[in-house]
Amino acid sequence: MNNDNSRTFEELTRQYLAVKRSLPRKFAKTAVNFFKRNFRAGGHVGNTFTKWKKPSSIKKGKTTLVQSGNLRRAIKVVSVSDKRVVVGVNKNIPYAKLHNEGGTIPITPKMRRFFWSQFIKTGLEQWKWMALTNKSEIEIPQRQFITPMGEENKALRKALNRLAIRELKKLDS
């Protein structure tokens, strides 16, 4: 048996195992960055692009879902293993699920007081009408920024496939 071939095979095996170990972490980082890009895009990139509905009140210089940047920064790697990568949002961000899935929140007396104070502070009529509304709930439209577990995201899958091919091509060189 040729000694050069066995060394080459051993080297390729070593390189392959190194890629196999590092790929899940790279997948996780790619997925986090992919979901954070949704904030710049102003919608959810998945099987199709779904643009977010603009809120009625948005601060100058800010975009939809970005007031402080906390929600975007909260997208993190939850767990990584050889077989599974999980990316999610910190549990410290209670409004993340509401924005991602949509829903309703009750209008409380405290909220009405806040609306009045905002009207007095800004003079914007929208705050006055929110304080005076007869509604008992505010509907928050779905502004999905992260794909729920178990759902297919073709755009993310394509990005991960490109990453895997790029990493495997490095073995060839």
Side-chain angles (χ1 to χ4, degrees):
M1 186 166 156
N2 188 342
N3 202 9
D4 281 344
N5 286 340
S6 64
R7 268 193 244 133
T8 304
F9 180 74
E10 287 171 7
E11 178 62 21
L12 277 174
T13 303
R14 188 188 62 72
Q15 288 175 338
Y16 167 75
L17 292 174
V19 167
K20 186 179 174 190
R21 275 190 306 276
S22 69
L23 211 50
R25 292 223 175 272
K26 290 180 180 183
F27 279 169
K29 185 176 179 183
T30 300
V32 166
N33 292 334
F34 182 88
F35 291 130
K36 285 182 177 183
R37 276 194 298 268
N38 286 334
F39 289 86
R40 274 194 305 274
H44 181 257
V45 179
N47 299 335
T48 61
F49 177 71
T50 309
K51 190 156 181 62
W52 295 329
K53 182 182 177 197
K54 293 264 185 218
S56 56
S57 65
I58 195 164
K59 292 180 182 175
K60 190 173 183 173
K62 303 292 183 181
T63 60
T64 307
L65 288 189
V66 181
Q67 294 297 316
S68 65
N70 288 340
L71 182 58
R72 179 180 48 218
R73 280 192 302 275
I75 299 172
K76 304 272 186 213
V77 176
V78 175
S79 67
V80 178
S81 71
D82 291 347
K83 298 184 183 350
R84 183 173 151 154
V85 172
V86 180
V87 173
V89 177
N90 274 347
K91 300 225 186 280
N92 301 352
I93 310 289
Y95 51 86
K97 184 176 180 182
L98 180 66
H99 281 300
N100 203 48
E101 298 173 4
T104 57
I105 54 173
I107 298 176
T108 63
K110 184 177 179 180
M111 288 172 75
R112 289 186 194 279
R113 287 191 301 274
F114 172 77
F115 298 151
W116 277 121
S117 72
Q118 288 299 308
F119 172 65
I120 291 165
K121 186 172 149 184
T122 65
L124 295 174
E125 290 285 314
Q126 70 187 34
W127 293 113
K128 178 181 174 182
W129 297 121
M130 287 176 75
L132 293 173
T133 186
N134 290 329
K135 292 180 179 179
S136 60
E137 297 178 325
I138 297 174
E139 188 169 326
I140 306 296
Q142 180 183 24
R143 294 184 179 108
Q144 186 175 5
F145 57 92
I146 195 165
T147 305
M149 225 164 28
E151 268 187 39
E152 177 70 16
N153 185 323
K154 290 179 183 172
L156 176 59
R157 171 77 55 201
K158 192 174 181 180
L160 296 177
N161 286 344
R162 278 195 306 266
L163 172 64
I165 289 167
R166 206 170 40 246
E167 291 298 311
L168 289 172
K169 281 185 177 179
K170 287 180 185 178
L171 292 178
D172 199 24
S173 53

